[in-house]
C-alpha cells in the first residue's frame, strides 16, 4: 500500500501524458492483461513443464498493478524516487526489479510470477506496445469484467442470481444459455450453405 500511495504521482503528471484518466484506463488494462499473463504462465508451467506445485498456488490482489505502475513510471520519469514501505527510498528506474526481489525475500508466499507479469505488461504499456486506450474501451472492458464476474459467481454457487441459469449443454457442438425471465433458450448452430451437402 505504501508503494501504491507513492505512485499517486501518476495522477499529477498531466503534462507528460499521464494523469487521472490515464491512470484509471491503464489500471484496467494492467488488471486484465497481467492477470491473463500470470494465468498463461501457470498454465505453461503446469502443462508443459509438469510442475504440479503451481496447481496449488493462488495469485490474488492488486500488487501486479502496482508493479506495472512502478514500471511505467520508471520508463516515463526515471529521475523519480519511490518510497517503499516507508523504509526505503529507491530510484524509480530500478524499483520494479528491486521491489520484486525485496518482496520475494520478505514475503515468500507472494506470487513472484504475478508481480513479474505486472512488470512485463507495464513495460508493454510504457514502450507503447499496448496503447489506444480511451473511455470507450475502458467502459467496455469494465462491462466485460462485470459480466465475467457475475457468471463466475453464478457458476461457483457463491451467489444465486434467479434471472440467470447456466446449464450444461446436451450437444457439445452447440453452446446454450438460458434466461429464465422469458424462458427462451439461445442456441447457435451451423446454417447449411446452398449446394453443399452436410454429412
Amino acid at each position: 500500500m505504501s508503494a501504491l500511495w507513492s505512485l499517486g504521482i501518476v495522477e499529477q503528471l498531466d503534462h507528460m501524458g499521464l494523469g487521472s484518466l490515464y491512470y484509471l484506463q491503464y489500471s484496467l488494462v494492467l488488471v486484465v492483461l497481467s492477470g491473463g499473463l500470470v494465468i498463461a504462465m501457470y498454465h505453461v508451467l503446469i502443462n508443459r513443464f509438469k510442475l504440479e506445485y503451481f496447481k496449488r498456488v493462488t495469485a490474488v490482489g492488486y500488487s501486479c498493478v502496482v508493479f506495472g505502475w512502478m514500471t511505467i513510471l520508471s520508463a516515463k520519469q526515471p529521475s523519480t524516487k519511490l518510497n517503499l514501505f516507508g523504509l526505503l527510498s529507491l530510484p524509480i528506474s530500478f524499483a520494479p526489479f528491486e521491489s520484486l526481489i525485496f518482496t520475494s525475500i520478505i514475503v515468500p508466499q507472494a506470487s513472484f510470477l504475478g508481480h513479474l507479469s505486472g512488470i512485463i505488461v507495464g513495460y508493454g504499456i510504457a514502450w507503447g506496445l499496448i496503447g489506444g486506450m480511451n473511455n470507450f474501451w475502458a467502459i467496455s472492458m469494465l462491462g466485460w469484467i462485470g459480466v465475467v464476474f457475475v457468471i463466475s459467481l453464478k457458476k461457483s454457487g457463491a451467489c444465486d442470481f434467479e434471472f440467470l441459469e447456466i446449464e450444461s449443454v446436451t450437444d457439445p457442438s452447440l453452446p446454450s444459455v438460458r434466461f429464465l425471465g422469458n424462458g427462451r433458450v439461445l442456441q447457435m448452430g451451423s446454417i447449411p450453405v446452398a449446394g453443399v451437402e452436410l454429412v
Side-chain angles (χ1 to χ4, degrees):
M1 292 310 292
S2 174
L4 180 61
W5 178 263
S6 63
L7 289 171
I9 192 169
V10 171
E11 296 181 26
Q12 301 166 2
L13 297 175
D14 287 322
H15 64 282
M16 294 182 61
L18 301 175
S20 299
L21 191 59
Y22 183 91
Y23 181 77
L24 174 64
Q25 292 169 344
Y26 282 96
S27 287
L28 287 171
V29 171
L30 281 165
V31 165
V32 172
L33 293 183
S34 61
L37 182 59
V38 76
I39 289 171
M41 284 192 250
Y42 283 142
H43 177 76
V44 168
L45 289 171
I46 292 167
N47 294 318
R48 176 79 172 151
F49 296 105
K50 306 297 183 207
L51 297 172
E52 297 294 319
Y53 163 76
F54 289 102
K55 284 186 176 181
R56 297 180 303 277
V57 173
T58 57
V60 296
Y62 196 71
S63 58
C64 61
V65 176
V66 172
F67 275 82
W69 278 114
M70 272 193 265
T71 305
I72 293 168
L73 197 56
S74 72
K76 298 232 182 223
Q77 195 176 26
S79 63
T80 305
K81 297 272 189 199
L82 178 69
N83 186 7
L84 186 64
F85 302 116
L87 304 172
L88 299 170
S89 182
L90 305 172
I92 194 82
S93 57
F94 304 119
F97 295 104
E98 289 171 345
S99 296
L100 180 64
I101 293 166
F102 185 71
T103 304
S104 297
I105 292 169
I106 299 298
V107 187
Q109 299 88 0
S111 174
F112 180 85
L113 291 178
H115 296 156
L116 183 62
S117 70
I119 292 172
I120 292 168
V121 174
Y123 275 122
I125 292 170
W127 293 340
L129 302 173
I130 302 167
M133 192 63 165
N134 58 29
N135 288 340
F136 171 78
W137 291 113
I139 291 170
S140 297
M141 190 179 292
L142 197 56
W144 280 109
I145 290 170
V147 167
V148 169
F149 182 67
V150 167
I151 290 173
S152 67
L153 283 176
K154 177 69 177 180
K155 284 190 88 158
S156 70
C159 290
D160 185 29
F161 299 107
E162 294 179 12
F163 62 91
L164 179 65
E165 180 181 321
I166 300 173
E167 60 185 37
S168 61
V169 178
T170 55
D171 183 359
S173 67
L174 301 174
S176 175
V177 178
R178 182 176 182 170
F179 295 95
L180 291 180
N182 56 13
R184 289 185 292 178
V185 175
L186 301 174
Q187 199 164 24
M188 298 170 18
S190 58
I191 300 172
V193 179
V196 177
E197 185 176 327
L198 299 174
V199 180

